Amino acid sequence: MPVTDKDRDIFARTLWGESRGESLAGQVAVAWTIRNRVNDGKAKSWWGEGYGGVCQIPYQFSCWNKNDPNFAYLSGAKQISFREFAQAQIAADQVMAGMVPDPTGGATHYYYYYYYYYYYYYYYYYYYYYYYYYYYYYYYYYYYYYYYYYYYYYYATNMPKLPDWVKGAKETLKLGRHIFFKDVP
């Protein structure tokens, strides 16, 4: 199936919506998951046909869902940053042309995660006696507090729970803020 300019545009917009803020390598990895779906080897695939069909099939790439905040940008109602979109187009062009190898090892799925950081601290104090002379002896207590900060983090997704398809799938790559999978049951 030949790639049209519309396919290229939809592909680049999908990369922007799904992986803006990632490095070029991160966007290339996301692009390869789309290409792996396009080239799944089936005559009629449930993923959709061609880059445009795979990207816009309902509920596969959340950036195309009408209730997603990215949809206004992807549909053209709002302007996408030129620099960000140019990077997404470069990634799309390189992957469609086969100019870069597949870093995901054949992944067809991924999900986005981010870090939650917990900051907490504890303190201890000690005191000492300070001797001060002025008619009488006075003792003053000075307390010194020492704070120790600890950082804990864990992975989280923007989903209330991990997708069901993660169970039994083979993780192939963690890159940027995406985790990639193949052999999804």
Side-chain angles (χ1 to χ4, degrees):
M1 172 179 253
V3 178
T4 65
D5 287 339
K6 183 177 180 183
D7 283 335
R8 178 183 178 267
D9 184 61
I10 291 170
F11 190 22
R13 287 176 184 275
T14 304
L15 291 180
W16 179 85
E18 294 285 317
S19 62
R20 74 177 172 286
E22 292 282 356
S23 65
L24 183 60
Q27 287 189 341
V28 164
V30 171
W32 267 101
T33 61
I34 296 170
R35 181 174 170 170
N36 291 336
R37 290 181 179 193
V38 169
N39 298 329
D40 67 352
K42 298 177 183 166
K44 184 110 172 129
S45 176
W46 75 274
W47 298 114
E49 299 300 319
Y51 288 98
V54 167
C55 291
Q56 291 186 318
I57 196 164
Y59 303 104
Q60 291 301 306
F61 295 100
S62 62
C63 62
W64 288 102
N65 296 346
K66 300 233 187 283
N67 62 346
D68 191 284
N70 295 307
F71 185 75
Y73 292 95
L74 300 183
S75 65
K78 292 184 178 178
Q79 186 68 35
I80 297 175
S81 161
F82 176 78
R83 174 177 276 173
E84 292 175 354
F85 190 59
Q87 179 175 315
Q89 287 176 317
I90 290 167
D93 290 341
Q94 287 180 347
V95 170
M96 283 190 297
M99 296 170 55
V100 291
D102 182 358
T104 68
T108 55
H109 290 70
Y110 64 84
Y111 70 84
Y112 174 84
Y113 70 92
Y114 54 91
Y115 294 106
Y116 271 132
Y117 288 96
Y118 279 122
Y119 301 99
Y120 84 91
Y121 62 89
Y122 72 93
Y123 61 90
Y124 72 91
Y125 61 91
Y126 72 91
Y127 60 91
Y128 70 92
Y129 297 105
Y130 180 72
Y131 184 72
Y132 181 72
Y133 180 75
Y134 183 75
Y135 293 116
Y136 298 103
Y137 292 107
Y138 290 97
Y139 289 101
Y140 291 97
Y141 296 99
Y142 287 92
Y143 293 93
Y144 288 91
Y145 293 90
Y146 291 92
Y147 293 92
Y148 292 93
Y149 293 91
Y150 287 93
Y151 304 100
Y152 286 102
Y153 66 90
Y154 65 91
Y155 296 123
T157 70
N158 55 354
M159 299 173 275
K161 65 180 184 114
L162 289 179
D164 292 333
W165 55 258
V166 170
K167 296 177 187 100
K170 181 180 177 189
E171 183 180 318
T172 61
L173 177 69
K174 279 185 186 174
L175 182 62
R177 298 206 183 259
H178 289 85
I179 302 176
F180 297 87
F181 299 86
K182 71 177 185 178
D183 301 331
V184 176

